[in-house]
Amino acid sequence: MNTNRTSIAAFALVGVAALGIAADSENTSGVAVPETPAFDVADADAAGKVIATHADLYDRGWRDEVTRGRMTLYDAGGDSVERTFSRMAYERADDGDKLIIRFLSPAEIKGVAALTFENPGSSDDNWLYLPANKRVRRVSGANNTASFQGTEFTYEDLGALDPVEYEWRFLGKTTLTRGEESIEVYKLGATPTYSDTGYSRLEVLYSVDGFRQERIDYYDKAGKHLKTRDSRDWKQLHGRFWRAFTIDMTNHQTGKRTLLAQERYFLNLSLYTSKKTGKPRSNLPETMFTTQALQK
Amino acid sequence: MTTSPHRSLVAAGVVFALLAGSAHAQDIDDILDDLEADVEEPAASRAVRDDIGLDGVGPDDEGLGDLLGDVPESAATTSTGRTWIRGITGFVQIEGKRYARERRRGRDDEQLLISAEVEIDLRLGNGLTGYVRPRLLVEALHGELERFEPYEAYVTFEGDGVELRVGQFVENWGIVDTYNPIDVINRRDLGSDFLDPDRLGEAGVRIRKQWAGGETFAEPTLSLYALPAFRRTEFPEDDGRFSFGTATQPFRAAGGFEPSGSEGHFWGARFQTVLNTAAINSDTQLVVSHGPERTPTFAPRRREVAPVYYGVTNIGAGIRGVPNEDVLGEFLSKLTLKAEVVYKDAYSFSNAPVPTPDDYLAYVGGVDRAFDRVFSDLDQLTAMVEVAGETGADDAASQFRPFKNDVVLRLFWEGNDFARSSVELRALVDLDEDERIYELIAERTLRSIDEDLTAFVSAQVFHQPDNGRTLFDLFPNNTSVSIGLRWDF
């Protein structure tokens, strides 16, 4: 028997209460948790891919998302500006997701919106709407590495990590300490396989239970540590899907930070009942994620 | 037989009735407002929380509990249901403009331009929304300009994939950045800015139907337009720097030859789709229109210069796309390719005293390339090259059309800093004549005073051939510098 062989399931029952995260005990989403595959850490590449693929699969079935949040940008000296934004996402079962991010304040940036179609295995489609000239503009892959409206997030960072767009490697199982919180995590290395990227590699920490993407460390093309994306204040919505209510992106080379704090989070709208009608809501139609809808 | 404007509207209504399903307003604000106002906690989650006593878990933490019954502050209740202002935005701007050369000895040409624009979004209920965008523009030193334009004022009814818009609206059919030969629907306010004139609203009806589409032809959308009322283009007054008049022959916008009756109707159709192919993913459109050309020709009439309107059937296409790396390589995949082409088939109105302009083909093609981290860790520089031209016309009117054989170079730098600094440089070069125009626009918010207060500096430099063979050479040299403040709200 290979003593390195283990099962993700073996780590899956770590008490979430001990980690300071919030969870319903019952899955009311109607989406079952996928069976956890086994992996052999002796084959680090295969193990990494299994974990990353399972983490992606684990988070499938949420259908749609509507959030509203606050974005605070800090410079190295501690000066800051604040913006509010909304975000809508549409899950496509066998394809990349679609999402719209729109700024709500301050007035100078209000209405600026971005639409992204994630294309697994190839460049994403990106559009930008600028209310000043009331035009939707398709932007090229060269924009992928550019800052999204002055934040520490690039267009590349807006979407989810697609497992097919990286070469994965299992780097070990470790403990992530965040204040008094200790979280068992898998540490994976990820090398982008697409060209329009600003990164040479990533290090991704997935929680052993729930496969939450707790932290991502980004390395620039020269291999130097560039940024850390720290996701915290996790909540399990509908007893099934984990969502971080705070995402902290820190640039280690410039000392700048962008802090996203979600204030409203609606996941799978069909699970909510409207007071107006007394009936379950409909999910967002895919037609809301179009270049026409971006202008509204 | 003549067709009345009413008949056009009725026809549009019939088409809409055939296409539309049930009322079904859907946009981001609707969803957020609706969710925040009316969402109930899912029954199953509530039961779980009650049973196990998990405070701080479930919908309250999703931000729902504290929003029950919440209605936007601007909400108002009417007898027919809730009507509210979904948003008010706009700006107030003051701009001082100084010209490098006075037109006549002793003539004070400096301008102080004060403008304000308000955008009001209304939710009228049951799939009906409204939008109003008036603008006020006043030249405060000499009273050269006084504009109060309801740029846009319309209501939109949204059905299941179908939208009906009635009122005055602005449509931007353009694909490229500087000159849009395909963008033929709206008149321009040539009196307020000759180089980048504002679009003026057109009154009429737009019906839009969007289908689900497939992988190759995504988001197919058909828009039909009926604009029954002819309206004159705005031109500079006689004391304006771009006046078409002279001391002996003043210009009179109202004194020209205009279409009458059904000749003034404008019909248009626009088909748009996101076209995904192995080589390129693009936003593509085809347009067809028939009606009065928005920019007329000119002719002497009695002792004046007067506009002479004529009709045009436009058939055009536009594309803006990004090449796919797998097929066309990494270099091309970094570019955004764009092109517009339109064939213009002119016809005269019944009272036109001058020959019909020649038919011609106008085109623009170009590329954009973005570069990031040029001067700082967050900035971005977009470089643009566009080539514009036309072919097929040899009449007198064509001689003074801009962009007959021109190159446009543009650099747009965005600092992406807290002050949202930006600098835009643009050069327009006429390849046939020795005519060049250079532009600079720099902006930066004054955060220390107010985060929505922006200071800007702009300059336009005209280099004219002095041979009277180009459009801008008809006017005095308009090289100018502007400085101003804009407050967004």
Side-chain angles (χ1 to χ4, degrees):
Chain A
M1 179 183 169
N2 185 343
T3 53
N4 286 329
R5 189 173 179 81
T6 184
S7 167
I8 290 173
F11 300 104
L13 298 177
V14 177
V16 292
L19 304 178
I21 53 180
D24 281 343
S25 59
E26 185 180 324
N27 178 358
T28 59
S29 70
V31 181
V33 174
E35 191 174 335
T36 52
F39 62 89
D40 184 353
V41 298
D43 185 348
D45 292 351
K49 189 169 184 178
V50 167
I51 294 170
T53 304
H54 183 69
D56 185 63
L57 182 66
Y58 194 99
D59 195 49
R60 285 284 142 193
W62 47 268
R63 303 181 70 176
D64 56 11
E65 245 180 37
V66 177
T67 74
R68 177 176 279 178
R70 196 166 295 278
M71 178 184 289
T72 310
L73 284 61
Y74 297 91
D75 69 11
D79 190 12
S80 65
V81 293
E82 194 168 276
R83 298 168 183 170
T84 57
F85 67 95
S86 67
R87 179 180 182 277
M88 301 172 66
Y90 180 88
E91 183 187 40
R92 291 191 292 178
D94 300 316
D95 217 335
D97 302 334
K98 296 182 175 183
L99 53 106
I100 289 178
I101 297 174
R102 188 184 302 274
F103 286 99
L104 306 174
S105 72
E108 205 272 332
I109 195 175
K110 184 177 182 178
V112 171
L115 169 67
T116 297
F117 291 181
E118 296 174 359
N119 296 320
S122 64
S123 296
D124 295 343
D125 289 309
N126 289 302
W127 292 265
L128 190 65
Y129 173 68
L130 299 173
N133 55 19
K134 300 190 184 300
R135 280 188 185 186
V136 174
R137 284 278 179 257
R138 180 186 281 268
V139 292
S140 75
N143 281 63
N144 224 23
T145 57
S147 162
F148 176 65
Q149 296 297 316
T151 69
E152 294 306 317
F153 292 82
T154 62
Y155 285 85
E156 183 180 6
D157 301 331
L158 296 182
L161 288 188
D162 188 335
V164 304
E165 294 181 341
Y166 297 86
E167 287 176 355
W168 296 91
R169 187 168 180 80
F170 180 78
L171 300 177
K173 182 168 161 284
T174 183
T175 301
L176 170 65
T177 303
R178 191 185 282 139
E180 294 181 357
E181 197 176 58
S182 294
I183 305 163
E184 295 282 327
V185 292
Y186 297 118
K187 183 176 183 179
L188 305 187
T191 305
T193 56
Y194 54 96
S195 66
D196 46 354
T197 176
Y199 312 122
S200 58
R201 67 187 176 92
L202 283 64
E203 284 180 2
V204 188
L205 301 185
Y206 286 106
S207 65
V208 169
D209 81 279
F211 295 91
R212 298 179 303 276
Q213 215 172 69
E214 297 279 354
R215 179 170 291 178
I216 304 176
D217 286 292
Y218 301 87
Y219 293 82
D220 65 17
K221 290 285 195 180
K224 293 180 180 171
H225 194 194
L226 177 62
K227 297 189 295 191
T228 297
R229 174 184 183 139
D230 194 45
S231 303
R232 52 183 188 263
D233 299 329
W234 291 90
K235 295 185 174 63
Q236 193 176 27
L237 307 185
H238 310 309
R240 173 64 177 82
F241 297 102
W242 290 101
R243 289 295 180 269
F245 275 53
T246 304
I247 298 176
D248 187 345
M249 184 74 98
T250 301
N251 188 317
H252 302 290
Q253 296 181 4
T254 65
K256 296 177 181 175
R257 270 174 78 200
T258 297
L259 191 68
L260 300 185
Q262 301 285 4
E263 295 177 341
R264 310 278 183 264
Y265 216 124
F266 306 92
L267 190 72
N268 191 349
L269 301 193
S270 68
L271 296 179
Y272 300 93
T273 302
S274 171
K275 269 192 168 179
K276 271 185 191 169
T277 64
K279 296 176 183 174
R281 289 182 172 278
S282 302
N283 283 109
L284 301 177
E286 193 172 359
T287 52
M288 288 192 68
F289 296 83
T290 63
T291 55
Q292 304 285 346
L294 193 61
Q295 302 175 56
K296 293 181 179 175
Chain B
M1 175 181 150
T2 58
T3 308
S4 71
H6 295 297
R7 202 166 285 182
S8 301
L9 294 174
V10 170
V14 169
V15 174
F16 178 73
L18 291 172
L19 292 174
S22 57
H24 185 60
Q26 287 282 5
D27 67 23
I28 293 172
D29 287 339
D30 278 342
I31 294 292
L32 277 168
D33 290 345
D34 204 28
L35 280 167
E36 293 181 358
D38 299 315
V39 166
E40 280 190 333
E41 178 178 352
S45 290
R46 185 172 61 241
V48 169
R49 189 178 56 171
D50 291 343
D51 287 349
I52 63 176
L54 271 175
D55 288 339
V57 176
D60 280 338
D61 279 338
E62 294 173 45
L64 308 184
D66 61 335
L67 291 165
L68 293 174
D70 185 21
V71 174
E73 286 180 16
S74 54
T77 302
T78 70
S79 59
T80 56
R82 273 190 313 188
T83 298
W84 68 74
I85 296 172
R86 294 196 304 177
I88 299 178
T89 57
F91 66 84
V92 178
Q93 179 174 298
I94 181 165
E95 175 185 2
K97 193 169 188 176
R98 182 178 181 83
Y99 290 90
R101 298 182 198 172
E102 305 293 1
R103 278 178 298 178
R104 293 188 291 273
R105 187 183 298 275
R107 172 69 188 249
D108 181 6
D109 268 347
E110 277 55 67
Q111 291 180 316
L112 184 63
L113 299 163
I114 300 169
S115 56
E117 187 172 309
V118 180
E119 294 181 68
I120 304 171
D121 270 305
L122 299 165
R123 180 181 175 137
L124 307 173
N126 201 25
L128 200 62
T129 57
Y131 179 73
V132 183
R133 182 164 72 100
R135 182 195 62 159
L136 175 70
L137 171 64
V138 174
E139 196 288 298
L141 288 182
H142 313 295
E144 286 181 359
L145 274 173
E146 283 186 14
R147 295 272 197 274
F148 179 71
E149 295 279 349
Y151 269 178
E152 297 182 86
Y154 58 76
V155 293
T156 304
F157 180 78
E158 195 173 341
D160 190 12
V162 182
E163 192 183 271
L164 172 67
R165 177 165 295 175
V166 180
Q168 178 159 306
F169 48 82
V170 172
E171 288 276 309
N172 194 337
W173 287 3
I175 291 271
V176 301
D177 290 276
T178 296
Y179 169 57
N180 301 113
I182 202 174
D183 189 18
V184 297
I185 188 166
N186 289 96
R187 295 161 298 133
R188 303 295 202 273
D189 187 352
L190 297 169
S192 62
D193 187 343
F194 202 80
L195 200 54
D196 283 313
D198 291 329
R199 289 169 176 78
L200 297 171
E202 301 289 350
V205 177
R206 185 191 76 184
I207 300 169
R208 173 175 283 173
K209 169 73 177 171
Q210 186 173 71
W211 290 271
E215 281 296 308
T216 304
F217 293 96
E219 297 183 36
T221 307
L222 178 66
S223 305
L224 303 175
Y225 301 82
L227 311 174
F230 168 79
R231 294 161 77 185
R232 296 184 194 116
T233 296
E234 296 275 4
F235 288 103
E237 300 296 329
D238 267 339
D239 52 359
R241 302 272 313 202
F242 283 102
S243 168
F244 287 91
T246 65
T248 54
Q249 282 191 307
F251 178 77
R252 196 155 77 92
F257 297 93
E258 301 172 355
S260 59
S262 62
E263 289 178 332
H265 296 186
F266 183 98
W267 301 90
R270 181 190 194 196
F271 176 76
Q272 298 164 271
T273 187
V274 174
L275 182 62
N276 298 310
T277 66
I280 188 169
N281 289 0
S282 64
D283 302 328
T284 305
Q285 64 172 328
L286 304 170
V287 300
V288 178
S289 69
H290 181 84
E293 176 73 321
R294 297 327 195 182
T295 304
T297 60
F298 304 94
R301 190 181 190 195
R302 302 185 188 95
R303 292 184 177 178
E304 299 168 339
V305 176
V308 179
Y309 288 90
Y310 61 97
V312 172
T313 300
N314 293 287
I315 302 171
I319 186 169
R320 185 181 182 98
V322 176
N324 291 327
E325 181 185 353
D326 294 343
V327 176
L328 296 176
E330 184 178 348
F331 175 79
L332 284 178
S333 74
K334 304 286 187 191
L335 304 177
T336 304
L337 310 179
K338 52 197 181 175
E340 287 181 28
V341 60
V342 63
Y343 180 71
K344 300 174 89 74
D345 182 5
Y347 61 91
S348 290
F349 295 130
S350 53
N351 64 351
V354 294
T356 306
D358 290 350
D359 303 344
Y360 67 100
L361 187 79
Y363 55 86
V364 183
V367 297
D368 287 359
R369 172 70 159 93
F371 303 89
D372 55 75
R373 299 180 184 85
V374 179
F375 303 115
S376 72
D377 60 298
L378 292 176
D379 71 350
Q380 186 177 32
L381 180 71
T382 303
M384 183 202 84
V385 180
E386 291 177 357
V387 176
E390 66 169 62
T391 182
D394 194 29
D395 58 311
S398 70
Q399 189 178 347
F400 295 104
R401 276 197 293 264
F403 303 108
K404 288 195 73 178
N405 187 19
D406 291 59
V407 172
V408 181
L409 306 169
R410 176 174 173 257
L411 293 173
F412 181 52
W413 177 81
E414 295 167 281
N416 278 326
D417 53 349
F418 286 0
R420 293 179 61 75
S421 310
S422 68
V423 178
E424 181 175 3
L425 288 165
R426 190 164 61 156
L428 297 83
V429 179
D430 188 324
L431 298 177
D432 294 330
E433 303 290 345
D434 187 24
E435 182 174 74
R436 298 184 298 277
I437 302 171
Y438 305 98
E439 273 194 297
L440 163 85
I441 303 170
E443 290 192 350
R444 183 177 173 84
T445 59
L446 302 177
R447 291 182 59 236
S448 57
I449 302 172
D450 188 296
E451 65 180 349
D452 294 319
L453 184 65
T454 302
F456 62 89
V457 177
S458 68
Q460 288 183 345
V461 178
F462 288 79
H463 179 273
Q464 298 170 186
D466 288 331
N467 60 13
R469 293 208 300 260
T470 69
L471 177 67
F472 291 102
D473 205 30
L474 293 177
F475 312 112
N477 189 297
N478 279 283
T479 297
S480 63
V481 177
S482 296
I483 185 166
L485 291 171
R486 185 185 68 246
W487 183 66
D488 294 278
F489 59 90

